[in-house]
Structures are given as C-alpha cells and as structure tokens.
Amino acid sequence: MKPRLPRDVRERPAGRARLRPVSLAVAVLLLAATLLAGVLVGAAGLPVGGVLKALADRLPLVDVDSGLGVLDENVLFQLRVPRALMAALVGGMLAMAGAGYQGVFRNPLADPYLLGAAAGAGVGATMVIVLMPGDPGYAVPLAAFVGAISGVLLAYVLGSAAGHANGAATLVLAGVAVSSFLASVQTFLQQVKAEELHRIFSWLLGGVGSADWRQLALIAPYSLVSTVVLLAHGRLLDVLSVGDEEAASLGLSATRVRMTVLVAASLATACAVAVSGLIGFVGIVVPHVVRRLAGSSYRIVLPLSLLGGAAFLGMADLVARTVVEPAELPLGVVTAFVGGPFFVAVLRASRREVQM
C-alpha cells in the first residue's frame, strides 16, 4: 500500500514536485539508445540491419526475416540482449539505492559502495560460492541481501557512536572501516577454497559478461519489490529532508520510513551485487547528476536515478568491452575511472556547503 501523507505535507513545495514529462522522455530515450547500442556492438560483427530485423521479429504481430543464421541469432539473443538488460538492471538498482541511502542519511556521500552494503553483500555471496557445492541458485541473492543489511547497519551504528559533529565525514569513515573489515573476511573465505579463487576474483572486479536469462529471472522479483517500495517513498524522503522533529509533528514516523527505505535500498544493492560483483560509484554519480539537471525532490531523483543508472552502466559496459577489444576491462574499473574524480568533486562541494 502506498504511504499517504497528511494534507499539509502534500501541499509543501517538496510535495508538489512533479516529474516533468520532458525529463522522463529524455531519460527513457537515453536508456533506449544505450540498450540498442548494447545489442548492436560486439566482437561477432553482426550486421546492423539483420540485428534490427531480428529484434523487430520478436515483437507481437510482426514477422520479419532477419537473414541471420542460427549461430548469429544465438549470439544476439543468448549473449548480447541478456548482457545489455543486465547492465541496465544493475545500474538502475545501484543508482536508485544510492539515492535512497542519501535520503535516509541526509548525506550526499551515502552510497552502497561506501556504506558497506556492497561489501556486505559481497561477503554473503562469496560465502555461498565457497561453502555450497554445485549451483547455489537462489541462495546467492538471499545471502547477499543479509550481508548488505548487516554492512549498512554496522556502518550506521559506528557512525552514530562517533557522533554527528563531522557529519558526512563520520559516516564515510565508518563505511570505509566496515568495508575494510568485510574485505578481510572475504579474503579469509577465499583461502578456505582456493580452487574458487579465479571465479571469486572475476566476480569481485565486477561485470555482466556472464549474464543470461536465468540470472535475469533470478533477481527480477527482488528488483521489482525494491523499486516499488523506493519509488513509493519519494514523498516521505522529501519530508524527512526538513528534519525528524517536523516530520514527527506531522504524524510521520521517521524511524519506520528510514528502516523501510534502508531495507529496500539494501535489497536493490544485493540484487546488483549478487549477479555483477562489486561495481562502485554508480550510486553517487547518477543521483547527483539528476539533482543538478532535474531537481532535488526525491519524487524526481528516484525514478530518474533508476533510468539514468541503467543508461550509465550500459554505456560503461560498452566502454568495458570495446576500449581494449578483443579483451574486456572489468566493469568496476570503468566506473571507478568516472566515479573517483566525481567523488572528490562532491566531497569538495559538500565541504564548502558546511563552511558557508
């Protein structure tokens, strides 16, 4: 059930914020262009016309001869299409989770990678890979979810214990400390089963090269739930941004809203990490770009972060598989090249705002 705000809350400027059709259309077109590029570009060198006809042939009431052979169609529909969709899904989940964390903590530096959620999900998934023989199936996203929740809660507890005097820096340092600790746990787990090292390292560096329809079906339900919950709480996050006391005076339970968004954002992070490994900075870069271009209301930031994150990681995956062709760069390396300098810029901007 969608949360309902008191009337006076809905009448505030944040409550009246609306997602403009132009902004939504631009985001959708950008995502569509990225998805199309993802299925057109590849080492196999499929003809553009044949690919477009093959895609059109899968539409209802459309019958087109693509001219592609069986092998080419398998490359298109078993490799390229799932990979493009997986990159979009992972990017959307990470960006929307980052926006959710930033709303919960009222902190522009909050991010799944920095707050320990990604590292916690990584530990959970690695534990399943190492300790469970054969195909772990649905155990991987479940373990990643538990790890993500544990990592964020631990970082939040440590940051709260240190006090709020340093604001963003305290939370970031707590997240770094938790991530470092979880990295050591992950290293220990890797040594328990050395024969899985190559698989684990490939997973840790991040990527969607192994994406298939089964993986997409595996995380789709979790992704849908987290998306619905986060989008439904956009208005409530706007209210929380003005302070807990004012929210409480309007009959809003800040603790309940924070815990709900925290769980949903951690679920989104767990979905992404379970199938793609650790991919950082998406949750910082995309929400900040959205705020600069479209507005700061979470009713705008959350849906546009979902679409923008999907397009951003889709483009990053294109770079990862073309810049050193025929080899591939780890996807986490590409996002770090963009996100590292961007994070420094955000940190400097946050520092200037605190000093003003």
Side-chain angles (χ1 to χ4, degrees), residues 94-95 97-102 105 107-119 152 155 171-172 175 179 269 279-288 343:
L94 290 176
Y101 285 134
Q102 289 161 21
F105 297 112
N107 191 319
L109 300 177
D111 169 75
Y113 190 79
L114 293 174
L115 286 178
V152 172
L171 183 60
V172 170
S179 297
T269 301
I279 300 174
F281 297 105
V282 179
I284 287 182
V285 172
V286 177
H288 277 275
F343 174 74

Side-chain angles (χ1 to χ4, degrees), residues 101 141 145 148-149 221-223 225-226 262-272:
Y101 285 134
F145 172 60
I149 290 287
Y222 303 95
S223 303
V225 170
S226 58
L262 185 66
V263 171
S266 297
L267 177 59
T269 301
C271 293

Side-chain angles (χ1 to χ4, degrees), residues 155-164 170-171 174:
Y156 183 67
V157 169
L158 289 177
S160 299
H164 300 284
T170 300
L171 183 60

Side-chain angles (χ1 to χ4, degrees), residues 16-30 294 299-300 303-304 307:
R16 293 198 303 266
R18 292 291 187 274
L19 180 59
R20 295 181 179 179
V22 174
S23 300
L24 181 60
V26 170
V28 170
L29 289 175
L30 181 61
R299 298 181 66 188
I300 298 172
L304 290 186
L307 297 172

Side-chain angles (χ1 to χ4, degrees), residues 123 126-133 183-198 200-201:
V123 169
T126 301
M127 187 177 297
V128 170
I129 293 173
V130 169
L131 301 180
M132 291 185 63
S184 66
V185 174
Q186 200 163 42
T187 301
F188 170 76
L189 292 174
Q190 293 168 12
Q191 299 306 315
V192 170
K193 202 166 185 180
E195 60 268 24
E196 296 285 357
L197 281 178
H198 182 270
I200 294 173
F201 277 131

Side-chain angles (χ1 to χ4, degrees), residues 42 49 53 73 85 103 184 197 206 241 260 277 289 293 322 347 349-350 356:
K53 290 179 180 178
E73 288 220 354
L85 292 176
S184 66
L197 281 178
S241 66
T260 302
V289 172
L293 297 179
T322 57
L347 185 61
S350 301
M356 290 179 61

